Amino acid sequence: MDLLMQGVEYFHKGGFVMYILLLCSIFIITVGVERLFYFSKADSGRKFADKFYRLMVNDKIDEAKNLANNTKGDLAALLSFAFNKMHNKNINIMLMLEVQSGISLSKFRARLYYLNVIVTMAPLLGLLGTIVGMISAFSIFNLQEGQAIAITGGVGEALIATATGLCVAIISLAIHSYFIQRIDHIVTDMEQAFSLIEGLINRGDK
């Protein structure tokens, strides 16, 4: 309880910027949780991509098709679509995969841009709070008694905003980097799987 009360006290000492940083923190957590749920639903996973690759290179086409049909996620759905449309000569399957994968990746990247903005903005907000606090601290030169103590205390309180801004930026950067890495893996898996589909089409296998 004492720790909580001390945290609340520091929060108020940080100035008005702390409320903005608090909103940024809530937004970061909200986006992180929402993206985590979306990725768990839409990402077919690396295990699926690896298993699909092994089946395809060993010419187990039917098993690969069944794997795609029975796996959730965008990549599995795209591969299932490709298998089901191979008999239709009027459809450019690779073009369709390219377009649909682009749409899928844009959904994976949704709202991650805002995290990147907060990574840059949070330290600046903290610095702004610190500067405002220091201006307030150094405005007491008309005081005669206890002047140095007042200035030192004011500067110390002002630095709370900078520290908080850095913490918010670090959290945002960590969450952003995690999802960007997952997207990189998804892109790699898509490119590998699509190249296998293209090879299958060029061979004329059905």
Side-chain angles (χ1 to χ4, degrees):
M1 181 62 70
D2 292 338
L3 185 62
L4 177 62
M5 294 301 296
Q6 186 178 12
V8 173
E9 182 180 356
Y10 281 143
F11 179 85
H12 288 296
K13 287 181 178 180
F16 73 95
V17 170
M18 298 293 285
Y19 292 95
I20 303 176
L21 292 173
L22 176 61
L23 292 176
C24 290
S25 300
I26 295 172
F27 180 76
I28 290 169
I29 299 302
T30 301
V31 170
V33 172
E34 187 274 334
R35 289 289 85 190
L36 192 62
F37 278 110
Y38 181 81
F39 273 67
S40 65
K41 178 185 68 173
D43 183 8
S44 298
R46 305 225 78 185
K47 289 183 179 179
F48 163 78
D50 291 340
K51 188 173 182 180
F52 181 82
Y53 174 80
R54 289 196 301 270
L55 291 173
M56 291 292 288
V57 296
N58 290 308
D59 285 330
K60 298 180 179 179
I61 308 303
D62 290 336
E63 292 184 35
K65 182 177 180 179
N66 289 333
L67 177 65
N69 289 335
N70 296 317
T71 303
K72 68 176 183 178
D74 288 4
L75 177 55
L78 289 172
L79 294 174
S80 180
F81 165 83
F83 279 121
N84 292 331
K85 297 297 182 180
M86 276 188 183
H87 65 279
N88 193 334
K89 298 293 185 180
N90 297 322
I91 296 179
N92 188 329
I93 294 176
M94 298 311 301
L95 179 60
M96 290 291 294
L97 289 177
E98 182 179 351
V99 172
Q100 293 302 317
S101 63
I103 295 173
S104 173
L105 290 172
S106 69
K107 292 180 180 179
F108 278 114
R109 294 189 179 100
R111 285 176 283 281
L112 293 183
Y113 171 78
Y114 300 117
L115 297 181
N116 195 34
V117 171
I118 291 177
V119 169
T120 303
M121 184 175 68
L124 295 177
L125 287 171
L127 182 60
L128 174 63
T130 295
I131 291 173
V132 172
M134 291 181 70
I135 290 174
S136 176
F138 282 97
S139 67
I140 49 84
F141 278 116
N142 58 330
L143 297 179
Q144 299 297 324
E145 187 175 352
Q147 179 175 315
I149 297 176
I151 293 175
T152 303
V155 172
E157 293 177 5
L159 291 175
I160 295 173
T162 295
T164 304
L166 290 174
C167 290
V168 172
I170 290 170
I171 295 172
S172 183
L173 178 61
I175 295 175
H176 180 268
S177 299
Y178 168 75
F179 286 113
I180 289 298
Q181 184 181 41
R182 288 194 63 174
I183 290 174
D184 288 341
H185 290 161
I186 292 170
V187 171
T188 301
D189 293 340
M190 283 184 173
E191 290 176 347
Q192 177 180 267
F194 294 167
S195 67
L196 294 171
I197 293 294
E198 185 176 16
L200 182 63
I201 294 173
N202 292 337
R203 276 165 41 193
D205 292 348
K206 302 295 185 291

